[in-house]
Amino acid sequence: MALALEQAHLAAAAGEVPVGAVVVKNGQVIATGRNAPIASHDPTAHAEVVALREAARVLGNYRLEGCTLYVTLEPCAMCSGAMLHARVDRVVFGANDSRTGVAGSVLNLFDHTQLNHQTQVAGGKVEAGTTREFGYAEVRAHGHTELLKGIEDFATAEGQGMLKVWIRYGDKVTAMPAGFKVMAFTPACPIAGMADDARRFYAVQFHPEVTHTVQGQALLNRFVLDICQARPDWIMGDYIVEAVAKIRE
């Protein structure tokens, strides 16, 4: 999203409506775009469409399966339709658009199951925080979620489950995407974790992968083995065998 914001700043500097977009596949940025209808005399030159065109050119395919599009503003009907036609897997937008947004504000074009492709949508809102937190923290589990069920380091006198974690953040989530609920929080971070059990989506502000998070291994095991139902049938030795075989080829 930070790269999309950079594109939005470039659009503003050029006298355009400040919207920027980025297309990512397999963790790699493959295309960027920014609003350019005024300069290009093209009413379709919205940031999303510009980015989709470039991504299709780079991949050599108009179908962008496996791609995620990040955009600073909730997409309009034209751009949303383009994403659906391109078979984009997911769209993540920064700010709601109460005038033309069709990812939930005016209507939700992505929620129509009659369409032959469904693009997942993630919205919400992130703002710069007035406080920063880095280091040890005690996070309170909130509600009942599949990820944290039965996992805690200790309980308060009121019976509230607590986790000892290593946390790091400067920005803060102030509005969650549709379908999510608060999963964990601290006094300084009201949304330290959120969950959408129905879609099996989870997000945390702390680091489960480090030893400082005492139940980190249990959280990762719960997600990978129980929620994703992956099989633990691969070891590092398998990578060595595979790598040697590829070199010999």
Side-chain angles (χ1 to χ4, degrees), residues 136-166:
Y136 173 80
E138 293 179 352
V139 172
R140 176 185 165 185
H142 182 79
H144 300 282
T145 64
E146 289 300 315
L147 183 64
L148 297 184
K149 184 171 62 179
I151 298 178
E152 63 181 45
D153 288 305
F154 67 96
T156 65
E158 296 78 20
Q160 300 162 347
M162 303 293 291
L163 293 170
K164 299 177 180 180
V165 304
W166 192 260

Side-chain angles (χ1 to χ4, degrees), residues 96-133:
N96 294 325
D97 185 351
S98 60
R99 296 178 61 192
T100 63
V102 299
S105 291
V106 178
L107 57 91
N108 192 346
L109 189 62
F110 299 101
D111 197 37
H112 289 269
T113 56
Q114 300 96 322
L115 296 173
N116 65 335
H117 175 75
Q118 274 70 54
T119 293
Q120 296 176 351
V121 180
K125 189 175 183 180
V126 176
E127 296 180 355
T130 56
T131 60
R132 294 178 180 272
E133 197 167 2

